[in-house]
Amino acid sequence: MGDLATDILRRHGLPQASNVALLPDRHPQYRHCERHGRYPESLVDEQGTVRFITPAGCPRCRAERQLAALLDRAAIPERYRDCDFANFRISTPAQARVVEACRAYAADFAANTDGRALILLGPPGTGKNHLAAAIAHALLAQGRTVLQAMVWEVIERIRATWRNGDGPSESAVIGAFAGVDLLILDEVGKQHGSPSERLSLFKVVDSRYRARPTILLSNETLTDLEEYLGPAAFDRLCHQGTLLHCQWPSYRRKGTQGEGTES
């Protein structure tokens, strides 16, 4: 039995020292996770064959590690990583309407392949980043790719290509922003609005307008946002896009939305 047990463990990639005692007699067998409680290590299929569940270890811990890796790749800020639709505190009808629109945007994301945008406007602290993170979580669970970036980061990465002859080209950088399923641009309108900034943002917006959607988060008014982005980029974002006004008091000042609040 020992040789058989060792062979089974080796073939399934299970840690031998900690699992040998589990193998010989009764199945299904379970282990205990200090965080999540009991989880199965083996099962018996319809033919009565013992199957060991791989990869080994607590499946909920594994799922959390996978989500953390996806959030790292998506560059979702640490303070918003636990934000979802369920923990967004709703106290007004306006908030309920905005949350429902964001939930529908995530649920119907497959219909957004024509590049339609979502714009969240409102004063600082009204939960725009919380809602963007909730959408990101929903899309990551669907197997989509997401990237969040400050507008100044986008502009700086493009400008860096003008200075570095041995680095990635401008088209490669724009292609990286264009290639993810969803791009979230934060703090839109906080820059100078110079012609070169408008041109850089236009190139990113235009590359996504043809196939993939973009979410914009801004504290500016709609008029100021159009002036900052320029008519061409703004027109592309408005085409079949959705505008949501987050016009309610700051959660930071009220202290009711917790760590999920934002600008």
Side-chain angles (χ1 to χ4, degrees):
M1 177 63 73
D3 292 340
L4 176 61
T6 301
D7 181 60
I8 292 174
L9 291 168
R10 184 176 61 252
R11 284 190 289 111
H12 290 277
L14 295 168
Q16 297 185 23
S18 60
N19 281 276
V20 170
L22 292 176
L23 288 171
D25 41 33
R26 299 177 183 176
H27 297 276
Q29 294 168 345
Y30 298 88
R31 282 183 173 267
H32 181 80
C33 172
E34 292 184 358
R35 294 183 57 202
H36 302 117
R38 193 173 77 154
Y39 64 89
E41 279 283 319
S42 68
L43 54 84
V44 181
D45 66 16
E46 295 82 355
Q47 287 75 40
T49 303
V50 174
R51 304 288 185 184
F52 283 84
I53 298 173
T54 56
C58 173
R60 291 182 62 185
C61 286
R62 187 165 60 250
E64 288 176 358
R65 290 192 297 269
Q66 291 170 344
L67 176 59
L70 289 173
L71 291 171
D72 280 337
R73 206 173 305 159
I76 304 299
E78 182 70 31
R79 68 180 301 169
Y80 305 122
R81 293 194 176 189
D82 293 328
C83 294
D84 56 30
F85 294 119
N87 60 26
F88 190 97
R89 297 187 181 181
I90 298 173
S91 57
T92 70
Q95 291 169 336
R97 288 192 295 270
V98 168
V99 170
E100 184 54 36
C102 290
R103 195 192 300 270
Y105 185 86
D108 300 334
F109 190 78
N112 296 334
T113 53
D114 56 359
R116 67 186 68 177
L118 176 65
I119 302 175
L120 291 168
L121 296 185
T126 50
K128 298 184 296 298
N129 257 303
H130 186 131
L131 292 170
I135 293 172
H137 274 86
L139 296 187
L140 290 171
Q142 297 174 20
R144 307 278 184 175
T145 54
V146 179
L147 177 63
Q148 178 165 343
M150 297 287 191
V151 166
W152 66 264
E153 293 177 313
V154 175
I155 294 170
E156 181 55 35
R157 289 190 188 186
I158 293 175
R159 284 179 171 175
T161 66
W162 305 342
R163 301 188 294 267
N164 301 328
D166 57 348
S169 66
E170 180 181 16
S171 61
V173 171
I174 293 172
F177 287 116
V180 292
D181 294 326
L182 176 66
L183 177 64
I184 301 170
L185 294 177
D186 193 11
E187 297 289 3
V188 181
K190 292 297 185 185
Q191 290 63 49
H192 298 294
S194 66
S196 65
E197 289 177 345
R198 286 198 190 96
L199 178 59
S200 295
L201 281 179
F202 172 78
K203 290 177 179 179
V204 173
V205 169
D206 184 60
S207 66
R208 296 192 59 80
Y209 168 71
R210 303 172 190 180
R212 294 181 174 90
T214 306
I215 293 179
L216 272 70
L217 312 178
S218 179
N219 301 330
E220 308 300 321
T221 66
L222 192 61
T223 300
D224 290 341
L225 184 66
E226 180 177 7
E227 181 178 351
Y228 171 74
L229 291 172
F234 188 75
D235 183 68
R236 282 162 172 73
L237 292 166
C238 288
H239 182 224
Q240 295 184 333
T242 300
L243 172 64
L244 298 176
H245 289 281
C246 301
Q247 297 294 335
W248 47 78
S250 169
Y251 288 113
R252 290 197 192 98
R253 299 186 184 186
K254 293 168 62 177
T256 57
Q257 194 76 0
E259 290 302 311
T261 58
E262 48 72 56
S263 61

Coordinates of all heavy atoms in Angstrom, one line a residue, residues 199-239:
L199 N -3.5 65.0 -27.3 CA -3.1 64.1 -28.4 C -2.9 62.7 -27.9 O -3.3 61.7 -28.5 CB -1.9 64.7 -29.2 CG -1.4 63.8 -30.3 CD1 -2.5 63.6 -31.4 CD2 -0.2 64.4 -30.9
S200 N -2.1 62.6 -26.8 CA -1.8 61.3 -26.2 C -3.1 60.6 -25.8 O -3.3 59.4 -26.1 CB -0.9 61.5 -25.0 OG 0.4 62.0 -25.4
L201 N -4.0 61.3 -25.1 CA -5.2 60.6 -24.7 C -6.1 60.3 -25.9 O -6.8 59.3 -25.9 CB -6.0 61.6 -23.7 CG -5.4 61.6 -22.3 CD1 -6.2 62.6 -21.4 CD2 -5.5 60.2 -21.7
F202 N -6.1 61.2 -26.9 CA -6.9 60.8 -28.1 C -6.5 59.5 -28.7 O -7.3 58.7 -29.1 CB -6.8 62.0 -29.1 CG -7.5 61.6 -30.4 CD1 -8.9 61.7 -30.5 CD2 -6.7 61.2 -31.5 CE1 -9.5 61.3 -31.7 CE2 -7.3 60.8 -32.7 CZ -8.7 60.9 -32.8
K203 N -5.1 59.3 -28.8 CA -4.6 58.1 -29.4 C -5.1 56.9 -28.6 O -5.5 55.8 -29.2 CB -3.1 58.1 -29.5 CG -2.6 59.2 -30.4 CD -1.0 59.2 -30.4 CE -0.5 60.2 -31.4 NZ 1.0 60.3 -31.4
V204 N -5.1 57.0 -27.3 CA -5.6 55.8 -26.5 C -7.1 55.6 -26.6 O -7.5 54.5 -26.9 CB -5.2 56.0 -25.0 CG1 -5.8 54.9 -24.1 CG2 -3.7 56.1 -24.8
V205 N -7.8 56.7 -26.5 CA -9.3 56.6 -26.6 C -9.7 56.1 -28.0 O -10.6 55.2 -28.2 CB -9.9 58.0 -26.3 CG1 -11.4 58.0 -26.7 CG2 -9.8 58.3 -24.9
D206 N -9.0 56.6 -29.0 CA -9.4 56.2 -30.4 C -9.1 54.7 -30.6 O -9.8 54.0 -31.3 CB -8.6 57.1 -31.4 CG -9.0 56.8 -32.8 OD1 -10.2 56.9 -33.2 OD2 -8.1 56.4 -33.6
S207 N -7.9 54.3 -30.1 CA -7.6 52.9 -30.3 C -8.6 51.9 -29.6 O -8.8 50.8 -30.1 CB -6.2 52.6 -29.8 OG -6.1 52.8 -28.3
R208 N -9.2 52.4 -28.5 CA -10.2 51.5 -27.8 C -11.6 51.7 -28.4 O -12.4 50.8 -28.4 CB -10.2 51.9 -26.4 CG -8.8 51.6 -25.7 CD -9.0 51.6 -24.2 NE -10.0 50.7 -23.7 CZ -9.8 49.4 -23.5 NH1 -8.6 48.9 -23.8 NH2 -10.7 48.6 -23.1
Y209 N -11.8 52.9 -29.0 CA -13.2 53.2 -29.5 C -13.6 52.2 -30.6 O -14.7 51.9 -30.7 CB -13.2 54.6 -30.1 CG -14.4 55.0 -30.9 CD1 -15.6 55.2 -30.3 CD2 -14.3 55.1 -32.3 CE1 -16.7 55.5 -31.0 CE2 -15.3 55.5 -33.0 CZ -16.6 55.7 -32.4 OH -17.7 56.0 -33.2
R210 N -12.6 51.6 -31.3 CA -12.9 50.7 -32.4 C -13.4 49.3 -31.9 O -14.0 48.6 -32.7 CB -11.7 50.6 -33.3 CG -11.2 51.9 -33.8 CD -9.9 51.8 -34.5 NE -9.3 53.2 -34.8 CZ -8.2 53.4 -35.4 NH1 -7.4 52.4 -35.8 NH2 -7.8 54.6 -35.6
A211 N -13.1 49.0 -30.6 CA -13.4 47.6 -30.3 C -13.6 47.4 -28.8 O -14.4 46.4 -28.4 CB -12.3 46.6 -30.7
R212 N -13.1 48.2 -27.9 CA -13.1 47.9 -26.5 C -13.5 49.1 -25.7 O -13.2 50.2 -26.0 CB -11.8 47.4 -26.0 CG -11.3 46.0 -26.6 CD -10.0 45.6 -26.1 NE -9.7 44.3 -26.6 CZ -9.0 44.0 -27.7 NH1 -8.6 45.0 -28.4 NH2 -8.7 42.8 -28.1
P213 N -14.3 48.8 -24.6 CA -14.8 50.0 -23.8 C -13.8 50.5 -22.8 O -12.8 49.9 -22.4 CB -16.0 49.3 -23.1 CG -15.6 47.9 -22.9 CD -14.8 47.6 -24.2
T214 N -14.1 51.7 -22.4 CA -13.3 52.5 -21.4 C -14.2 53.1 -20.3 O -15.3 53.5 -20.6 CB -12.5 53.6 -22.1 OG1 -11.8 53.0 -23.2 CG2 -11.6 54.3 -21.2
I215 N -13.7 53.1 -19.1 CA -14.4 53.8 -18.0 C -13.6 55.0 -17.6 O -12.4 54.9 -17.4 CB -14.6 52.9 -16.8 CG1 -15.6 51.7 -17.1 CG2 -15.1 53.7 -15.6 CD1 -15.9 50.8 -16.0
L216 N -14.2 56.1 -17.5 CA -13.6 57.4 -17.1 C -14.1 57.8 -15.7 O -15.3 57.8 -15.5 CB -13.8 58.5 -18.1 CG -12.8 58.6 -19.2 CD1 -12.9 57.4 -20.2 CD2 -12.9 59.9 -20.0
L217 N -13.2 58.1 -14.8 CA -13.6 58.7 -13.5 C -13.1 60.1 -13.4 O -11.9 60.4 -13.6 CB -13.0 57.8 -12.4 CG -13.1 56.3 -12.5 CD1 -12.4 55.6 -11.3 CD2 -14.6 55.9 -12.5
S218 N -14.0 61.0 -13.0 CA -13.6 62.4 -13.0 C -14.4 63.2 -12.0 O -15.6 62.9 -11.8 CB -13.7 63.1 -14.4 OG -13.4 64.4 -14.4
N219 N -13.7 64.2 -11.4 CA -14.4 65.1 -10.5 C -14.9 66.4 -11.2 O -15.5 67.3 -10.6 CB -13.5 65.6 -9.4 CG -13.0 64.4 -8.5 OD1 -13.6 63.4 -8.4 ND2 -11.7 64.6 -8.0
E220 N -14.6 66.4 -12.5 CA -14.9 67.6 -13.3 C -16.4 67.6 -13.8 O -17.1 66.6 -13.7 CB -14.0 67.7 -14.5 CG -12.5 67.6 -14.3 CD -12.0 68.7 -13.4 OE1 -12.5 69.8 -13.5 OE2 -11.2 68.4 -12.5
T221 N -16.8 68.8 -14.2 CA -18.2 68.9 -14.8 C -18.1 68.3 -16.2 O -17.0 68.2 -16.8 CB -18.7 70.3 -14.9 OG1 -17.8 71.1 -15.8 CG2 -18.7 71.0 -13.5
L222 N -19.2 68.1 -16.9 CA -19.2 67.5 -18.2 C -18.6 68.5 -19.2 O -17.8 68.1 -20.1 CB -20.6 67.2 -18.6 CG -20.8 66.4 -19.9 CD1 -20.1 65.0 -19.7 CD2 -22.3 66.2 -20.3
T223 N -18.8 69.8 -19.0 CA -18.3 70.8 -19.9 C -16.7 70.9 -19.7 O -16.0 70.9 -20.7 CB -18.8 72.2 -19.6 OG1 -20.3 72.2 -19.7 CG2 -18.2 73.3 -20.4
D224 N -16.3 70.8 -18.5 CA -14.8 70.9 -18.2 C -14.1 69.6 -18.8 O -13.0 69.6 -19.3 CB -14.5 71.0 -16.8 CG -14.9 72.4 -16.2 OD1 -15.0 73.3 -17.1 OD2 -15.1 72.5 -15.0
L225 N -14.8 68.5 -18.7 CA -14.3 67.2 -19.2 C -14.1 67.3 -20.7 O -13.1 66.9 -21.2 CB -15.2 66.1 -18.8 CG -14.7 64.7 -19.1 CD1 -13.4 64.3 -18.3 CD2 -15.8 63.6 -18.9
E226 N -15.1 67.8 -21.4 CA -15.0 67.9 -22.8 C -13.8 68.9 -23.2 O -13.1 68.6 -24.1 CB -16.3 68.4 -23.4 CG -16.2 68.6 -24.9 CD -17.6 69.0 -25.5 OE1 -18.5 69.3 -24.8 OE2 -17.6 69.0 -26.8
E227 N -13.7 70.0 -22.5 CA -12.6 70.9 -22.8 C -11.3 70.3 -22.5 O -10.3 70.5 -23.3 CB -12.8 72.1 -21.9 CG -11.7 73.2 -22.1 CD -11.9 74.4 -21.3 OE1 -13.0 74.5 -20.6 OE2 -11.0 75.3 -21.3
Y228 N -11.2 69.5 -21.5 CA -9.9 68.8 -21.2 C -9.5 67.8 -22.2 O -8.4 67.7 -22.7 CB -9.9 68.2 -19.8 CG -8.7 67.3 -19.5 CD1 -7.5 67.9 -19.3 CD2 -8.8 66.0 -19.6 CE1 -6.3 67.2 -19.1 CE2 -7.6 65.2 -19.4 CZ -6.4 65.8 -19.2 OH -5.3 65.0 -19.0
L229 N -10.5 66.9 -22.6 CA -10.2 65.8 -23.5 C -10.1 66.3 -24.9 O -9.3 65.7 -25.7 CB -11.3 64.8 -23.4 CG -11.4 64.0 -22.1 CD1 -12.7 63.1 -22.1 CD2 -10.2 63.1 -21.9
G230 N -10.8 67.3 -25.3 CA -10.8 67.7 -26.7 C -12.1 67.2 -27.3 O -12.5 66.1 -27.0
P231 N -12.6 67.9 -28.3 CA -13.9 67.4 -29.0 C -13.8 66.0 -29.6 O -14.8 65.3 -29.5 CB -14.1 68.5 -30.0 CG -13.3 69.7 -29.6 CD -12.1 69.1 -28.9
A232 N -12.7 65.7 -30.2 CA -12.6 64.4 -30.9 C -12.7 63.2 -30.0 O -13.5 62.3 -30.2 CB -11.3 64.3 -31.7
A233 N -11.9 63.2 -28.9 CA -11.9 62.2 -27.9 C -13.2 62.1 -27.2 O -13.8 61.0 -27.0 CB -10.7 62.3 -26.9
F234 N -13.7 63.3 -26.8 CA -15.0 63.3 -26.1 C -16.1 62.8 -26.9 O -17.0 62.1 -26.4 CB -15.3 64.8 -25.7 CG -16.5 64.9 -24.7 CD1 -16.4 64.6 -23.4 CD2 -17.7 65.4 -25.2 CE1 -17.4 64.7 -22.5 CE2 -18.8 65.5 -24.4 CZ -18.6 65.2 -23.0
D235 N -16.1 63.1 -28.2 CA -17.2 62.6 -29.1 C -17.2 61.1 -29.2 O -18.2 60.4 -29.2 CB -17.0 63.2 -30.5 CG -18.1 62.8 -31.4 OD1 -19.2 63.2 -31.2 OD2 -17.8 62.0 -32.4
R236 N -16.0 60.5 -29.2 CA -15.9 59.0 -29.3 C -16.4 58.4 -28.0 O -17.0 57.3 -28.0 CB -14.4 58.6 -29.6 CG -14.0 58.8 -31.0 CD -12.5 58.8 -31.2 NE -12.2 58.8 -32.6 CZ -12.3 59.8 -33.5 NH1 -12.8 60.9 -33.0 NH2 -11.9 59.7 -34.7
L237 N -16.1 59.0 -26.9 CA -16.5 58.5 -25.6 C -18.1 58.6 -25.4 O -18.7 57.7 -24.8 CB -15.9 59.2 -24.4 CG -14.4 58.9 -24.3 CD1 -13.7 59.9 -23.4 CD2 -14.1 57.5 -23.8
C238 N -18.6 59.6 -26.0 CA -20.1 59.8 -25.9 C -20.9 58.9 -26.8 O -22.0 58.6 -26.5 CB -20.4 61.3 -26.2 SG -19.9 62.4 -24.9
H239 N -20.3 58.5 -27.9 CA -21.0 57.6 -28.9 C -21.4 56.3 -28.2 O -20.6 55.5 -27.9 CB -20.1 57.4 -30.1 CG -20.8 56.6 -31.1 ND1 -20.2 55.5 -31.8 CD2 -22.1 56.7 -31.6 CE1 -21.1 55.0 -32.7 NE2 -22.2 55.7 -32.6

